[in-house]
mmCIF file of all heavy atoms in Angstrom:
data_model
loop_
_atom_site.group_PDB
_atom_site.id
_atom_site.type_symbol
_atom_site.label_atom_id
_atom_site.label_comp_id
_atom_site.label_asym_id
_atom_site.label_seq_id
_atom_site.Cartn_x
_atom_site.Cartn_y
_atom_site.Cartn_z
ATOM 1 N N ALA A 580 -9.736 -2.532 -4.960
ATOM 2 C CA ALA A 580 -9.543 -1.932 -3.660
ATOM 3 C C ALA A 580 -10.634 -0.985 -3.312
ATOM 4 O O ALA A 580 -11.061 -0.858 -2.134
ATOM 5 C CB ALA A 580 -8.219 -1.163 -3.722
ATOM 6 N N ALA A 581 -11.271 -0.335 -4.356
ATOM 7 C CA ALA A 581 -12.368 0.534 -4.045
ATOM 8 C C ALA A 581 -13.544 -0.282 -3.527
ATOM 9 O O ALA A 581 -14.270 0.160 -2.610
ATOM 10 C CB ALA A 581 -12.853 1.253 -5.312
ATOM 11 N N ALA A 582 -13.788 -1.510 -4.045
ATOM 12 C CA ALA A 582 -14.850 -2.315 -3.595
ATOM 13 C C ALA A 582 -14.607 -2.753 -2.182
ATOM 14 O O ALA A 582 -15.460 -2.693 -1.338
ATOM 15 C CB ALA A 582 -14.988 -3.595 -4.405
ATOM 16 N N LYS A 583 -13.330 -3.034 -1.807
ATOM 17 C CA LYS A 583 -12.992 -3.423 -0.443
ATOM 18 C C LYS A 583 -13.113 -2.216 0.523
ATOM 19 O O LYS A 583 -13.514 -2.355 1.632
ATOM 20 C CB LYS A 583 -11.608 -3.948 -0.403
ATOM 21 C CG LYS A 583 -11.480 -5.388 -1.023
ATOM 22 C CD LYS A 583 -10.117 -5.932 -1.070
ATOM 23 C CE LYS A 583 -10.102 -7.353 -1.570
ATOM 24 N NZ LYS A 583 -10.922 -8.289 -0.741
ATOM 25 N N SER A 584 -12.851 -0.983 -0.032
ATOM 26 C CA SER A 584 -13.051 0.186 0.854
ATOM 27 C C SER A 584 -14.506 0.376 1.180
ATOM 28 O O SER A 584 -14.888 0.731 2.263
ATOM 29 C CB SER A 584 -12.505 1.389 0.024
ATOM 30 O OG SER A 584 -12.840 2.631 0.706
ATOM 31 N N GLU A 585 -15.342 0.185 0.101
ATOM 32 C CA GLU A 585 -16.766 0.382 0.376
ATOM 33 C C GLU A 585 -17.279 -0.596 1.411
ATOM 34 O O GLU A 585 -18.134 -0.298 2.227
ATOM 35 C CB GLU A 585 -17.514 0.205 -0.993
ATOM 36 C CG GLU A 585 -18.983 0.635 -0.871
ATOM 37 C CD GLU A 585 -19.180 2.053 -0.557
ATOM 38 O OE1 GLU A 585 -18.327 2.932 -0.852
ATOM 39 O OE2 GLU A 585 -20.218 2.346 0.104
ATOM 40 N N ARG A 586 -16.769 -1.860 1.323
ATOM 41 C CA ARG A 586 -17.291 -2.896 2.254
ATOM 42 C C ARG A 586 -16.588 -2.841 3.562
ATOM 43 O O ARG A 586 -17.027 -3.461 4.512
ATOM 44 C CB ARG A 586 -17.040 -4.297 1.646
ATOM 45 C CG ARG A 586 -17.896 -4.555 0.337
ATOM 46 C CD ARG A 586 -17.825 -6.049 -0.028
ATOM 47 N NE ARG A 586 -16.428 -6.445 -0.355
ATOM 48 C CZ ARG A 586 -15.957 -6.525 -1.539
ATOM 49 N NH1 ARG A 586 -16.741 -6.179 -2.591
ATOM 50 N NH2 ARG A 586 -14.743 -6.942 -1.841
ATOM 51 N N GLY A 587 -15.390 -2.183 3.662
ATOM 52 C CA GLY A 587 -14.618 -2.236 4.901
ATOM 53 C C GLY A 587 -14.023 -3.553 5.221
ATOM 54 O O GLY A 587 -13.947 -4.007 6.315
ATOM 55 N N ASP A 588 -13.541 -4.222 4.114
ATOM 56 C CA ASP A 588 -12.950 -5.565 4.226
ATOM 57 C C ASP A 588 -11.694 -5.593 5.188
ATOM 58 O O ASP A 588 -10.889 -4.566 5.180
ATOM 59 C CB ASP A 588 -12.558 -6.116 2.838
ATOM 60 C CG ASP A 588 -13.743 -6.532 2.045
ATOM 61 O OD1 ASP A 588 -14.882 -6.388 2.544
ATOM 62 O OD2 ASP A 588 -13.589 -6.925 0.874
ATOM 63 N N ASP A 589 -11.481 -6.697 5.778
ATOM 64 C CA ASP A 589 -10.276 -6.831 6.678
ATOM 65 C C ASP A 589 -8.916 -6.646 5.964
ATOM 66 O O ASP A 589 -7.954 -6.245 6.561
ATOM 67 C CB ASP A 589 -10.351 -8.158 7.358
ATOM 68 C CG ASP A 589 -11.437 -8.192 8.415
ATOM 69 O OD1 ASP A 589 -11.987 -7.209 8.818
ATOM 70 O OD2 ASP A 589 -11.898 -9.404 8.771
ATOM 71 N N ASP A 590 -8.901 -7.016 4.701
ATOM 72 C CA ASP A 590 -7.658 -6.877 3.933
ATOM 73 C C ASP A 590 -7.594 -5.621 3.079
ATOM 74 O O ASP A 590 -6.740 -5.477 2.189
ATOM 75 C CB ASP A 590 -7.516 -8.050 2.999
ATOM 76 C CG ASP A 590 -8.602 -8.277 2.038
ATOM 77 O OD1 ASP A 590 -9.578 -7.508 2.078
ATOM 78 O OD2 ASP A 590 -8.575 -9.210 1.203
ATOM 79 N N LEU A 591 -8.309 -4.557 3.479
ATOM 80 C CA LEU A 591 -8.279 -3.312 2.854
ATOM 81 C C LEU A 591 -6.840 -2.711 2.823
ATOM 82 O O LEU A 591 -6.431 -2.123 1.817
ATOM 83 C CB LEU A 591 -9.288 -2.329 3.415
ATOM 84 C CG LEU A 591 -9.228 -0.827 2.883
ATOM 85 C CD1 LEU A 591 -9.460 -0.836 1.362
ATOM 86 C CD2 LEU A 591 -10.223 0.029 3.583
ATOM 87 N N ALA A 592 -6.170 -2.718 3.966
ATOM 88 C CA ALA A 592 -4.841 -2.134 4.082
ATOM 89 C C ALA A 592 -3.904 -2.668 3.014
ATOM 90 O O ALA A 592 -3.149 -1.869 2.451
ATOM 91 C CB ALA A 592 -4.289 -2.391 5.466
ATOM 92 N N PHE A 593 -3.974 -3.970 2.782
ATOM 93 C CA PHE A 593 -3.109 -4.513 1.774
ATOM 94 C C PHE A 593 -3.497 -4.013 0.391
ATOM 95 O O PHE A 593 -2.623 -3.565 -0.416
ATOM 96 C CB PHE A 593 -3.097 -6.023 1.764
ATOM 97 C CG PHE A 593 -2.349 -6.654 0.634
ATOM 98 C CD1 PHE A 593 -1.063 -6.895 0.758
ATOM 99 C CD2 PHE A 593 -2.977 -6.978 -0.540
ATOM 100 C CE1 PHE A 593 -0.299 -7.459 -0.294
ATOM 101 C CE2 PHE A 593 -2.275 -7.522 -1.646
ATOM 102 C CZ PHE A 593 -0.943 -7.779 -1.487
#
Side-chain angles (χ1 to χ4, degrees):
K583 290 180 175 295
S584 170
E585 189 62 32
R586 294 191 298 261
D588 288 356
D589 292 339
D590 55 359
L591 172 60
F593 174 86

